[in-house]
Amino acid sequence: MISGLRSSVPACAAMFFAGTTSAADIASIHPIGFSADGQIFAYEEYGIQDGSGFPYANIYALDLAKDTYLPGTPLRVRLEDNDATIAKARWQARNDAEALIETHELANHPGELVAFNPITEVDEAPHRLRYRSMPVLPPVGEPNTLVLEEVPQPLDPRCEGLAEKSVAFRLRFTERDGKPVDDAVHEDQRVPLSRGCVGGYRLGGVVSGATPGGTGIEVALVLVLSAGFEGQDGRWIAIPIKTAGPGTP
C-alpha cells in the first residue's frame, strides 16, 4: 500500500522548520514500543540544538493503519535554560507521555531494532537496508531488502540560499523473504513544510514487532536531513512498512 502524507502534517513526521529552531544537530532515536494489537508505535528523539545549545526531547505516537499521529501527539519538550540537560528534557517528555505509554502498554512490547544504519556508518549504503525480520540464531526466514529513493521536487522559495535542492522520497521492497519483488510501501505526495528545507534522507533502521496472533509489524526509521544554521539537521520520521491491519487478533 502506498501511503500519502496528510495536508496538515506529514505521516509520522518529527520535524521542525529550519530557521525557527537551531541548526546542525542529528537527533538520537529510541524506540518505545508497539501496542499489543500492533496498531500503535511510539518512539523518542532527543539531542542538543546546535544553534541554541538547548536540550530537547520529542515523543511521537503513531496510528500505523492510518499513518497519522495519535490525538494529542507529538509531545515536544525544549528546555530553554543554560543549566538544563538532555536527561531533564527526556524525563519531562517521558513524564508527559506516561499515561499514553501505560494506556497502550507500549513498554510491554518494545519491538526489536532488526536493522540500523546510523549516519556515522561509512561502509553501508545510506538508502538501502537488507535484513531479516526475526532476531534469532540460527537465522529464521530469508532477507528483505528495503530501499529509499529520493524524488526531486521544486525548491520552496523560502529555502533559496539555504538549500540547493528539495527532495521527497519513496520506499519500496526489492526483496521479501529472499524473493525478488517490486513492492512500494510509501510515496510522498509532496514535501511537507514541517520538514524544513530538506535536501536528503537516510534509511536509518527497521523496528519489528508482532501481535499476540503472530502477525508481524514493521516500521522504517527515516532520517530527514534539512538545512540548519551551521550544516544539516537530522530529525526522524517513522513509516509503517508492514502493518497488522484493523481487527487483527
Side-chain angles (χ1 to χ4, degrees):
M1 176 181 72
I2 299 177
S3 58
L5 297 185
R6 309 306 180 266
S7 59
S8 57
V9 293
C12 313
M15 302 294 103
F16 293 107
F17 190 77
T20 63
T21 63
S22 69
D25 70 89
I26 305 297
S28 297
I29 188 168
H30 171 69
I32 295 173
F34 295 91
S35 59
D37 61 3
Q39 299 300 303
I40 296 169
F41 173 71
Y43 68 98
E44 173 199 22
E45 67 170 7
Y46 58 91
I48 296 289
Q49 291 187 337
D50 192 24
S52 68
F54 294 141
Y56 64 88
N58 308 313
I59 290 180
Y60 304 88
L62 317 170
D63 183 322
L64 298 180
K66 296 179 180 178
D67 200 7
T68 59
Y69 297 129
L70 289 188
T73 67
L75 301 169
R76 305 184 191 273
V77 171
R78 185 177 68 171
L79 300 182
E80 299 183 4
D81 183 337
N82 291 333
D83 296 325
T85 64
I86 289 180
K88 290 180 180 178
R90 294 186 69 190
W91 177 86
Q92 184 172 324
R94 189 79 177 203
N95 187 62
D96 292 346
E98 182 177 2
L100 182 149
I101 292 171
E102 290 187 0
T103 297
H104 298 289
E105 300 183 352
L106 300 175
N108 289 336
H109 311 93
E112 296 284 349
L113 192 62
V114 294
F116 190 57
N117 186 16
I119 201 165
T120 49
E121 176 63 66
V122 296
D123 288 335
E124 297 298 327
H127 295 159
R128 178 180 180 272
L129 287 172
R130 191 166 190 249
Y131 65 97
R132 286 185 170 90
S133 296
M134 297 291 291
V136 295
L137 286 176
V140 172
E142 297 301 321
N144 309 298
T145 300
L146 181 66
V147 298
L148 182 151
E149 299 169 340
E150 294 185 350
V151 182
Q153 301 290 306
L155 185 64
D156 190 309
R158 290 172 294 180
C159 296
E160 292 181 2
L162 296 174
E164 295 181 356
K165 63 178 181 178
S166 179
V167 288
F169 74 93
R170 68 173 64 96
L171 291 175
R172 65 185 181 94
F173 282 99
T174 59
E175 177 186 28
R176 279 190 185 270
D177 201 23
K179 298 178 181 178
V181 296
D182 186 3
D183 184 5
V185 290
H186 172 87
E187 184 167 0
D188 284 342
Q189 302 304 309
R190 60 179 182 83
V191 178
L193 294 177
S194 54
R195 288 188 194 170
C197 298
V198 56
Y201 303 88
R202 187 178 186 92
L203 184 52
V206 174
V207 181
S208 72
T211 68
T215 301
I217 316 151
E218 291 183 359
V219 173
L221 304 177
V222 176
L223 185 63
V224 181
L225 301 170
S226 61
F229 185 68
E230 297 175 344
Q232 286 187 307
D233 290 342
R235 296 291 187 273
W236 293 92
I237 58 177
I239 305 293
I241 56 176
K242 183 178 180 183
T243 59
T248 300

